[in-house]
Amino acid sequence: VRASVFCSCSSPMFMVASIGGVMMNSPLFGLCLTVVHILSLFIVGIIFSFYKRKEKPCTIKNSSSSKTDSLFYESVFSSVNSTLLVGGIITLFYVFIEILLNNNLLDLPITVFSSIFGNHDLGKGLVLGFFESTRGLKALSNGGITLLTLPVCGVICGFGGLSVITQSVTFLKI
């Protein structure tokens, strides 16, 4: 469980190229976001180093009767299934967000956060980022770079949205 904290973090390439370069039109913004994200990962790592410290790490039992000839097939099959699962979850959340937007069910939270930030795009980005990070970041980028854009981007990248949490729970089988 402790290692899963690091498994759902955003990649530096995504933050510098996609968020900074493409969405915000500023690779420097993406680089600043990456530095903040990595520093927060170190802080979370230090905090989680004390979590369940006394538990022994799980060991993998190596049975001598396992067939190594099917190992390649099983690993490829498993990776394809994992990729389809992640893509399916992202698609499910994309459609879910569209349903909520089309039925005006997100108008109230978007209005509340927009009034708090004083910027409609920041409010919409944060609300959409609660469900799926890329969709929230894209909405956030429509407002350009303001004083609050970096912190809100950091929150969205750090949280990852319910989509990433669903993916993590699925793979951890909690």
Side-chain angles (χ1 to χ4, degrees):
V1 173
R2 289 189 294 178
S4 69
V5 172
F6 297 106
C7 295
S8 65
C9 63
S10 298
S11 75
M13 185 66 155
F14 174 72
M15 290 185 284
V16 173
S18 297
I19 298 172
V22 175
M23 293 182 194
M24 298 295 179
N25 202 20
S26 170
L28 182 61
F29 179 89
L31 185 62
C32 291
L33 182 62
T34 302
V35 169
V36 169
H37 196 66
I38 289 172
L39 288 174
S40 67
L41 284 173
F42 278 117
I43 293 169
V44 169
I46 291 168
I47 292 169
F48 268 83
S49 69
F50 300 105
Y51 179 71
K52 293 188 178 182
R53 181 174 257 182
K54 301 207 187 257
E55 283 188 9
K56 293 181 182 179
C58 64
T59 57
I60 298 174
K61 297 178 183 177
N62 189 7
S63 64
S64 58
S65 63
S66 67
K67 296 182 180 181
T68 57
D69 57 342
S70 65
L71 190 60
F72 179 73
Y73 168 81
E74 290 174 14
S75 63
V76 171
F77 185 81
S78 176
S79 65
V80 169
N81 278 340
S82 298
T83 304
L84 289 173
L85 179 68
V86 168
I89 291 172
I90 292 170
T91 303
L92 179 75
F93 274 88
Y94 185 87
V95 171
F96 181 66
I97 290 170
E98 282 299 313
I99 291 170
L100 293 175
L101 286 172
N102 288 337
N103 291 304
N104 301 321
L105 297 174
L106 294 179
D107 287 351
L108 179 62
I110 289 172
T111 303
V112 168
F113 283 108
S114 295
S115 64
I116 290 171
F117 293 132
N119 184 322
H120 178 72
D121 294 314
L122 285 174
K124 185 175 182 179
L126 187 64
V127 171
L128 296 182
F130 175 76
F131 296 101
E132 207 278 316
S133 60
T134 307
R135 185 75 187 270
L137 292 166
K138 181 62 181 154
L140 181 70
S141 71
N142 292 333
I145 299 174
T146 65
L147 185 63
L148 293 174
T149 305
L150 184 63
V152 174
C153 274
V155 167
I156 293 172
C157 287
F159 177 61
L162 292 177
S163 175
V164 169
I165 292 173
T166 303
Q167 293 168 37
S168 298
V169 168
T170 303
F171 283 104
L172 292 174
K173 295 180 176 54
I174 296 176

